[in-house]
Amino acid sequence: AQKVTQAQTEISVVEKEDVTLDCVYETRDTTYYLFWYKQPPSGELVFLIRRNSFDEQNEISGRYSWNFQKSTSSFNFTITASQVVDSAVYFCALIERGSTLGRLYFGRGTQLTVWP
Amino acid sequence: GAVVSQHPSRVICKSGTSVKIECRSLDFQATTMFWYRQFPKQSLMLMATSNEGSKATYEQGVEKDKFLINHASLTLSTLTVTSAHPEDSSFYICSAPGASYEQYFGPGTRLTVT
C-alpha cells in the first residue's frame, strides 16, 4: 500500500492564485516525520519543511503554509499568491521512526504550473 | 547546512559500458546513504541503502549485480551501473540522513545510455 498519496498529478493556476497541494499518509508508527520537497526542472530537490508527528501546529513561511491534521492523516501545502517561479514538482514524503534511519517514502508528486 | 555532492552531474555512455556515480557528504559523516532513481515524470524510487563497512541493502526488484554499491568511507558512497542499457537511463539521486531525521540530498546525476 502507498504510504504517501498525492492524488493531484498536475495542477495549473494563474499567477496570484492560491493553490493547495494535498498529501495523505499512512503509517502505524506513532512517531514519524513528514516532509515537503520542491523539485524544479533542474532536478535538485529543495527542502521546504519537516514536521514531526507530535507537532500539529500549522506553519507559515512567507507565501507557504502547511496544514497538518493527524485526524485525517493529511499534511497539505498551500501557496498563497502563486508566482511563475513556483512552477515545479512538489513531493510529500514520510519517514517512520521504526524504519532505517532516514528511509524516505515519497508520494508520486504533484506538478504545479503557474501561468503568467 | 550539510551538503551532499554527486559526481558527475551528467553522463552519456554507450550501451554495454559501466558508469560510476559518486556521492559525497562534504561536512558530515554518513554511515548510511540512500540511492534513488527517478524516471521522467515519476517519483523517486529507493534503489538501495548503502552501509559503510558492510553490504548494501537492495530494494525488491533491484538487481544488485547490475547496480553495484560501495560505501568505502564515512563520506563516500559509489553506485556503479554495470553493462548499462538504454532502459537504465534515468536520474539518480543520493541522500544522507542527519542525526534528527533530516535528509540531505545530492543534486542528482542524469544518466543517458545510447
Side-chain angles (χ1 to χ4, degrees):
Chain A
Q2 275 285 92
K3 287 187 180 285
V4 179
T5 302
Q6 293 180 257
Q8 304 148 310
T9 306
E10 296 182 17
I11 300 177
S12 288
V13 298
V14 177
E15 217 172 12
K16 297 184 183 177
E17 285 185 19
D18 298 346
V19 59
T20 295
L21 283 62
D22 297 333
C23 174
V24 174
Y25 63 92
E26 181 180 336
T27 180
R28 293 181 178 178
D29 274 11
T30 55
T31 303
Y32 52 90
Y33 300 84
L34 295 163
F35 300 78
W36 275 95
Y37 290 92
K38 175 182 180 179
Q39 188 178 41
S42 65
E44 186 164 358
L45 286 170
V46 177
F47 168 80
L48 297 178
I49 190 171
R50 179 185 65 168
R51 173 66 74 224
N52 74 55
S53 53
F54 297 109
D55 183 2
E56 283 196 75
Q57 280 192 335
N58 291 329
E59 180 152 342
I60 299 175
S61 177
R63 296 184 297 108
Y64 296 168
S65 63
W66 291 269
N67 185 347
F68 178 26
Q69 299 270 358
K70 285 180 75 170
S71 59
T72 56
S73 298
S74 65
F75 187 43
N76 297 338
F77 172 34
T78 298
I79 302 175
T80 303
S82 59
Q83 300 176 2
V84 173
V85 294
D86 295 327
S87 297
V89 180
Y90 290 86
F91 290 100
C92 181
L94 165 75
I95 288 179
E96 298 172 309
R97 184 162 185 175
S99 298
T100 304
L101 180 65
R103 198 240 192 265
L104 268 167
Y105 294 92
F106 282 92
R108 65 179 183 179
T110 297
Q111 169 71 60
L112 174 65
T113 303
V114 181
W115 298 100
Chain B
V3 177
V4 173
S5 70
Q6 271 184 253
H7 178 80
S9 56
R10 287 179 178 272
V11 57
I12 300 173
C13 70
K14 292 187 176 180
S15 190
T17 62
S18 294
V19 174
K20 180 186 285 188
I21 303 170
E22 292 187 349
C23 177
R24 291 182 186 272
S25 55
L26 297 184
D27 53 359
F28 67 106
Q29 294 182 333
T31 56
T32 301
M33 290 185 176
F34 297 91
W35 286 96
Y36 295 85
R37 178 170 56 184
Q38 185 182 31
F39 292 110
K41 296 189 181 298
Q42 294 190 23
S43 187
L44 285 78
M45 297 302 297
L46 181 67
M47 299 176 65
T49 303
S50 173
N51 304 300
E52 190 270 336
S54 63
K55 290 183 180 180
T57 305
Y58 290 83
E59 295 297 301
Q60 194 171 9
V62 177
E63 300 175 59
K64 61 181 180 181
D65 294 331
K66 180 168 184 62
F67 299 99
L68 300 180
I69 291 172
N70 185 297
H71 199 137
S73 74
L74 288 171
T75 59
L76 173 64
S77 175
T78 60
L79 168 68
T80 301
V81 183
T82 63
S83 186
H85 288 100
E87 57 265 31
D88 297 324
S89 298
S90 189
F91 191 57
Y92 293 86
I93 305 175
C94 69
S95 71
S100 302
Y101 292 91
E102 61 270 73
Q103 193 72 235
Y104 302 106
F105 284 90
T109 297
R110 199 164 299 279
L111 170 64
T112 303
V113 184
T114 61

